Amino acid sequence: MSIRYLIILAAALLCSSLAVAAPANPVCIVPSEPDGAFQLTCELAKEAIAATGDLPQPIVLERMPGGVGAIAFNVFTSTRRAEPGSLVAFSEGSLFNIARGKFGPHDWTDVRWLAVLGVDYGAVAVQDQAPWRTLPDLVEAIRAAPRSIAIGGSGTINGRDWMRAASLAKLAGADIRTMRFVAFEGGGDCMAALVGGHVQVCMNDAATTQKRIDRGQPVRLLAVYARDRLEGKLSGVPTAREQGFDIVWPVVRGVYMVSDVSDADYAFWADAFRKALAQPAYQNLLADNYLQPSPLIGDELIKFVREHAASAAKEREPL
């Protein structure tokens, strides 16, 4: 047997010994009640990874509601810190709350940021039969009688949806302390309350709202908080900017991992998502879910989170 053959064989054996097996029982944690944006994120991750064939079994969705992501974050930074098969959905609001200390004593460095799967945009949703046909109509109604309009959203006072509602109140010249804000666990709950007539406005996101409209729910979008009009069915929805209100609010949707997984396990998932997001079929998957492409994986995402955390930490709360 030649020396050259032995070297090649040894190298092959070394590579195979370093290869990381696909994690058993992969799950994606939906840290909210059903039918919201976190569920959409996990469904997107499940479909994208399934298309690569890198996992012998599909990702299973596991629900862990509470605190709009706070419960899941605390669980996975304390008692479940070493699960290589567990992914947790996050959003721009999650990053803000973590940076502001709203999720408890752990900060953004206590988990491993894996991938952004797409970008959504904030939106203003009303009942289909609501009297307001444009965003200026709604702002004028808030100006005239701010206490008469209940505005729903995820989270609590000084959370991201509350800030979106406060931005409308400010544009109306109303005191934000007089604004009627109704807090929900997630966007799904807010939209259910909107359909049921318990709130008149929902500060939600474009993608999840449009998917509800597709299912026949009596809901209408007054505006999206994007720089320019979105594509597809959302192209008919005007931006807040074109209606005279300079509000742009992108919302990243992605997944993180727990801190104590090995570098090799983290690399397995990072490589799997790089492969998944590079496939042409993934662009169709994004379009079907009304999301915009913005692939951030591994170090690129960590840099993004670091910068977002620094900016959020300096941001002054309205109340």
Side-chain angles (χ1 to χ4, degrees), residues 255-277:
V255 290
Y256 65 80
M257 295 183 69
V258 292
S259 62
D260 291 351
V261 298
S262 69
D263 289 344
D265 285 319
Y266 178 83
F268 169 87
W269 281 109
D271 289 343
F273 275 109
R274 285 191 189 94
K275 181 178 177 181
L277 272 57

Side-chain angles (χ1 to χ4, degrees), residues 110-154:
D110 288 308
V111 296
R112 304 192 72 167
W113 302 95
L114 183 59
V116 165
L117 307 181
V119 171
D120 200 353
Y121 285 92
V124 183
V126 298
Q127 293 175 329
D128 192 45
Q129 299 302 315
W132 317 293
R133 309 307 298 181
T134 67
L135 190 59
D137 290 345
L138 175 60
V139 170
E140 182 56 39
I142 295 173
R143 177 182 291 116
R147 293 294 298 170
S148 68
I149 300 173
I151 305 175
S154 301

Side-chain angles (χ1 to χ4, degrees), residues 99-298:
R100 303 289 288 193
K102 297 177 183 292
F103 277 10
H106 298 284
D107 65 18
W108 70 272
T109 64
D110 288 308
V111 296
R112 304 192 72 167
W113 302 95
L114 183 59
V116 165
L117 307 181
V119 171
D120 200 353
Y121 285 92
V124 183
V126 298
Q127 293 175 329
D128 192 45
Q129 299 302 315
W132 317 293
R133 309 307 298 181
T134 67
L135 190 59
D137 290 345
L138 175 60
V139 170
E140 182 56 39
I142 295 173
R143 177 182 291 116
R147 293 294 298 170
S148 68
I149 300 173
I151 305 175
S154 301
T156 57
I157 290 178
N158 285 323
R160 299 311 261 172
D161 282 5
W162 181 89
M163 287 182 176
R164 294 186 204 176
S167 69
L168 286 184
K170 287 182 177 180
L171 290 170
D175 186 338
I176 59 176
R177 291 171 296 185
T178 67
M179 178 180 67
R180 285 180 63 197
F181 182 77
V182 182
F184 294 96
E185 170 59 28
D189 286 351
C190 185
M191 294 299 289
L194 179 66
V195 171
H198 306 295
V199 297
Q200 287 74 55
V201 182
C202 191
M203 306 309 297
N204 207 35
D205 300 308
T208 50
T209 303
Q210 185 59 51
K211 288 179 76 69
R212 282 178 171 269
I213 294 171
D214 290 348
R215 297 201 299 265
Q217 295 199 354
V219 176
R220 180 161 41 87
L221 283 166
L222 288 185
V224 294
Y225 289 165
R227 291 190 180 279
D228 303 296
R229 287 207 184 195
L230 303 178
E231 298 179 352
K233 292 181 180 179
L234 289 169
S235 63
V237 182
T239 66
R241 296 180 79 188
E242 68 184 273
Q243 296 183 77
F245 307 107
D246 193 13
I247 306 174
V248 177
W249 206 300
V251 182
V252 296
R253 304 236 171 266
V255 290
Y256 65 80
M257 295 183 69
V258 292
S259 62
D260 291 351
V261 298
S262 69
D263 289 344
D265 285 319
Y266 178 83
F268 169 87
W269 281 109
D271 289 343
F273 275 109
R274 285 191 189 94
K275 181 178 177 181
L277 272 57
Q279 294 186 351
Y282 186 72
Q283 303 308 311
N284 296 330
L285 187 58
L286 284 178
D288 290 344
N289 287 282
Y290 306 106
L291 295 174
Q292 313 305 309
S294 182
L296 291 173
I297 300 171

Side-chain angles (χ1 to χ4, degrees), residues 23-28 45-47 49-50 55-61 85 269:
N25 305 315
V27 299
C28 186
K46 176 181 178 178
E47 290 188 55
I49 294 298
L55 288 178
Q57 58 190 117
I59 294 173
V60 174
L61 273 57
W269 281 109

